[in-house]
Amino acid sequence: MQATAAIEALLSRLAACVDDVVERARSGAELREGEAEGMCAALEELLAHRFKRRQFLLFSVHPWSLAEHAEALSSAAAVRIGVARQTGSTDSARLRAWLYLLLNRRELAAEVDALLTPELCSLMYTRGAALLGSAERDRLVRTLKPLAALRFRLGASAGLCLPEQPSGSLEDARLSAAACAADVPTADAALAAAAAAAVAR
């Protein structure tokens, strides 16, 4: 019961943050990092809450390890994970870059829904178990769906606003993370410089 109450509180906090973002978007302007910060933080906390505790008993694991399983969903999802890996120098920065990519592409709700299916979650646990119950997962997806109607421009200087390349290689997509750093605060500046140089050549 206590665990359910905790998740309920996290879902309610996320819903309030999404409502705030939707309200801010009424002007029709593109949404930037400042408007999305609270919402992204609330979603990250929700993903971390049970994943850290239930997958490993002796140590915690960052929810980026959960997000990485999105590679199995589609080639486009695999490209996004590849770009996020190259953009961030820490798991927190990689997870945030992945969320930015999904928000920019208006695909956050759909990808989170696919990622949290019992079939995919069973691959992540030492014992088969869903990260969220079916009702909790449904509520999460319903909460995120309005974001697909909004225009986000997140991580622009990190190359996260560029259109995806449907037929390009993963390495080509990784190079689109040129000049990464400013919008993902903990991104690796050395990687940014190397990527920018590669693009210039």
Side-chain angles (χ1 to χ4, degrees):
M1 184 67 69
Q2 185 176 1
T4 301
I7 291 178
E8 179 68 24
L10 290 170
L11 285 167
S12 296
R13 179 190 166 203
L14 176 62
C17 290
V18 170
D19 287 344
D20 182 61
V21 169
V22 171
E23 182 63 29
R24 289 170 181 260
R26 289 187 183 279
S27 66
E30 289 181 325
L31 296 163
R32 303 299 179 103
E33 290 76 11
E35 290 85 4
E37 171 61 33
M39 179 186 66
C40 288
L43 179 55
E44 289 163 356
E45 186 177 358
L46 176 63
L47 294 176
H49 173 67
R50 193 176 289 178
F51 184 68
K52 281 185 176 182
R53 295 189 308 163
R54 290 182 60 177
Q55 185 165 10
F56 298 101
L57 299 178
L58 300 180
F59 60 93
S60 65
V61 62
H62 195 276
W64 166 247
S65 298
L66 167 67
E68 284 187 296
H69 283 79
E71 283 184 308
L73 298 175
S74 68
S75 58
V79 166
R80 284 191 287 268
I81 291 296
V83 171
R85 282 196 186 110
Q86 293 287 21
T87 301
S89 61
T90 67
D91 285 346
S92 293
R94 294 177 193 114
L95 181 64
R96 181 58 64 89
W98 178 69
L99 293 179
Y100 281 2
L101 285 162
L102 289 170
L103 286 166
N104 289 339
R105 299 289 297 175
R106 305 185 182 193
E107 295 178 9
L108 180 61
E111 190 137 324
V112 168
D113 187 24
L115 185 62
L116 296 182
T117 58
E119 294 78 14
L120 193 55
C121 281
S122 67
L123 302 176
M124 308 176 203
Y125 291 92
T126 53
R127 299 182 303 276
L131 184 67
L132 296 173
S134 59
E136 297 164 340
R137 176 182 158 217
D138 289 346
R139 181 179 171 189
L140 172 59
V141 173
R142 286 198 307 271
T143 297
L144 298 177
K145 276 186 175 180
L147 300 174
L150 308 183
R151 292 192 302 151
F152 288 92
R153 185 172 176 78
L154 307 173
S157 66
L160 303 181
C161 293
L162 298 179
E164 294 186 9
Q165 305 167 14
S167 59
S169 68
L170 181 58
E171 188 59 29
D172 289 338
R174 287 172 176 167
L175 292 177
S176 72
C180 64
D183 294 309
V184 182
T186 52
D188 189 333
L191 175 61
V199 171
R201 289 197 297 270

